[in-house]
Amino acid sequence: MERPTSTRRLDRLPKAHLHLHFTGSMRHSTLVELAEENGVRLPQALVDEWPPRLRGTDERGWFRFQRLYDIARSALRRPEDVYRLLRETAEDERDAGSGWLEIQVDPSGYASRFGGLTATLELVLEAARAAEQATGVPVGLMVAANRTKHPLEAKVLARLARQYAGRGVVSFGLNNDERKGRAREFEGAFRIARRAGLLSAPHGGELQGPRSIRECLDELGADRVGHGVRAVEDPYLVERIATQGVTLEICPTSNIGLGVFERLEHMPLRRLFDAGVPIALGTDDPLLFGPRLVEQYAIARRVFGFTDAELAELARMSVRGSAAPDAVRKELLAGVDAWVEAPPGDQDRSNQRP
């Protein structure tokens, strides 16, 4: 494959980040510092071997991944830790050219230390507003249910998300191991969220195949699907996703890190893009996988031969698939056009971040 020769800076390309988990967005250096301050003992895999060697395609590997994630979550003990995480995450997004961040959080994972579900969500929303004011990067929250828990717990979260729709919560998700809970079991929770005007963005098609994605579409009314890369196993499903305009949140380094694909070049990013599937590149959990958002675009350029015009279209797709307000979307899309139209050497003058 002929490699693109353009030198346009990818950190100057305006974009939206739609697939980023709350704890997983933390800087590694911050994790180490907070663990020391809060008396949390980190395993070697989160200190000396970072990023850890992971594999999630078997239950033992997924258990290890989840264990490391839970340990990292336990380092967040104080309200100021939450504020720091979101401020630094928004700083990283600003540096990546991201003009909209949609970060997903399951408040039940923190409720015991922050005063319950409602108090936890309000803390995160307040920290998100502070991060936006400090960096200029608008932040929307996705409340995400855990598919390894009972669907009734998801309904509780959906009702909580409904209370804050229009006040910072913009979407509702479903995450964790697809093998432990089918999407169709959570239809009731997503019905509550959709009726509140929240975007539906469940995970699907990462550890399980096309059936998982079809359930997200048929049962949960998905506007976006987290990952969704295994849709490529069913050409009719790919055509349906493209026709319906459902955005797939594809996270290259995460998929390699968890063993969904053995090598980057095995990922179907190019095949899905060429089939007309809307794609929003994401990072999933850079705390555990390493690279952040700009590197995902660099992979599209370096490994899959995306031209600057195609990278610009990826950025547009991320904006169109977002829950960003109309004014933010308009500004970002105009910035993408400016990025691709300006000569590479003029970027500093013509492609300021939104």
Side-chain angles (χ1 to χ4, degrees), residues 7-15 91-99 293-298 301 311 335 339 344 347-348 351-354:
T7 58
R8 282 186 175 85
R9 288 179 51 177
L10 295 174
D11 62 341
R12 296 289 185 180
L13 172 61
K15 56 186 76 72
E91 290 171 352
D92 292 337
E93 293 298 309
R94 180 191 60 199
D95 293 344
S98 177
L293 189 57
V294 166
E295 180 58 23
Q296 314 309 314
Y297 282 80
R301 171 186 272 172
L311 292 167
W339 182 86
Q347 284 183 41
D348 288 339
N351 293 283
Q352 298 302 311
R353 298 186 188 92

Side-chain angles (χ1 to χ4, degrees), residues 151 154-155 158 183-193 219-220:
K155 284 187 175 182
R184 65 191 310 172
E185 299 170 7
F186 298 88
E187 186 275 335
F190 276 81
R191 185 171 64 252
I192 293 168
E219 307 291 343
L220 307 185

